[in-house]
Every structure is written in C-alpha cells, then in structure tokens.
Amino acid sequence: MVDATEEFFRSLGQRRQRGLTALHEGTVRFDIAGDGSVDHWLVSIARGEVTAARQATGGDAVVRADRAVFDRIAQGEAYFLTTVLRGEAEVEGSPRLFATVRRLFPSPPGSRPERHRGDDDG
C-alpha cells in the first residue's frame, strides 16, 4: 500500500504545476524519517517542470520531517510553512526554493474563502 508521502512524490511529475518560472528553478531534497529509517526524495524544478526521484544526495535545499508530519502536509491537512515555524519540520538552504516548494503542496480544506455567486460586483 502506498502512503500519502510516497503518493505525493510519485504524483508530482504527473500534475501540472502552474506559474513556476526560471525564478523557481532548483532542487530540494526531502529527508522523511519514520520506522527507524529515512526516505530521501530529490525534487527538481526546471523550466516549470517538476520531477521527483529517490535520491539521498544533492539538493540546493533540504527539508527534514517525520513521516507523520509530512503525510499531513502531503494530504493537505497541514501547511508546510506552519510545520516549519512550529519546529515540526526543518529547512536548510535557499529560502527562495522553500517559497517555491510550498506551492507544490495542497492547501488544507477551508484555507481559502469560498466565493459565492454575486460576491464580486464586476
């Protein structure tokens, strides 16, 4: 059975990432700890394309998190930035890339106000 974290990384290359430009290019390694081991994923962003592969080395930036925390992020149950600010996840490297990486995660339910017909008087 595939967990939320693995599904997230496997689906990155299949989802269209809107608005990523040359400004957002680089690599981020995710070190996800759980069950006495660490899974490593290297996410590469180039020309708006995003790919992910299991790789234990490299990265212009590194994210470290416990699997339970990362599962919540991958499922849209927690914000990436909030987990970092709470010390539930650690980041190292390019701040520019972290701003880009957070765009790859789903937003938690109810995090954006819903628009209703008639809300804009356009």
Side-chain angles (χ1 to χ4, degrees):
M1 182 169 185
V2 177
D3 62 33
T5 294
E6 187 164 337
E7 178 61 31
F8 169 78
F9 287 114
R10 292 191 185 279
S11 71
L12 275 179
Q14 299 168 359
R15 291 184 287 151
R16 183 171 172 86
Q17 303 298 329
R18 301 166 102 193
L20 296 181
T21 65
L23 176 68
H24 304 108
E25 293 186 2
T27 57
V28 179
R29 190 181 76 234
F30 290 83
D31 297 341
I32 312 298
D35 297 329
S37 65
V38 179
D39 288 335
H40 305 279
W41 290 88
L42 187 67
V43 173
S44 300
I45 304 167
R47 296 184 195 99
E49 297 294 319
V50 179
T51 59
R54 288 188 179 270
Q55 186 172 324
T57 59
D60 301 313
V62 179
V63 174
R64 292 179 188 89
D66 182 76
R67 177 168 303 281
V69 170
F70 198 84
D71 280 348
R72 290 191 351 255
I73 297 167
Q75 292 172 336
E77 295 173 0
Y79 281 115
F80 172 68
L81 183 58
T82 302
T83 61
V84 171
L85 293 174
R86 288 183 180 158
E88 296 175 341
E90 298 175 15
V91 295
E92 176 183 304
S94 170
R96 174 185 52 80
L97 277 175
F98 295 116
T100 299
V101 165
R102 72 178 200 184
R103 298 171 71 181
L104 302 177
F105 298 108
S107 298
S111 61
R112 297 181 192 190
E114 289 187 35
R115 298 197 64 177
H116 300 283
R117 217 175 231 178
D119 279 355
D120 55 281
D121 295 301

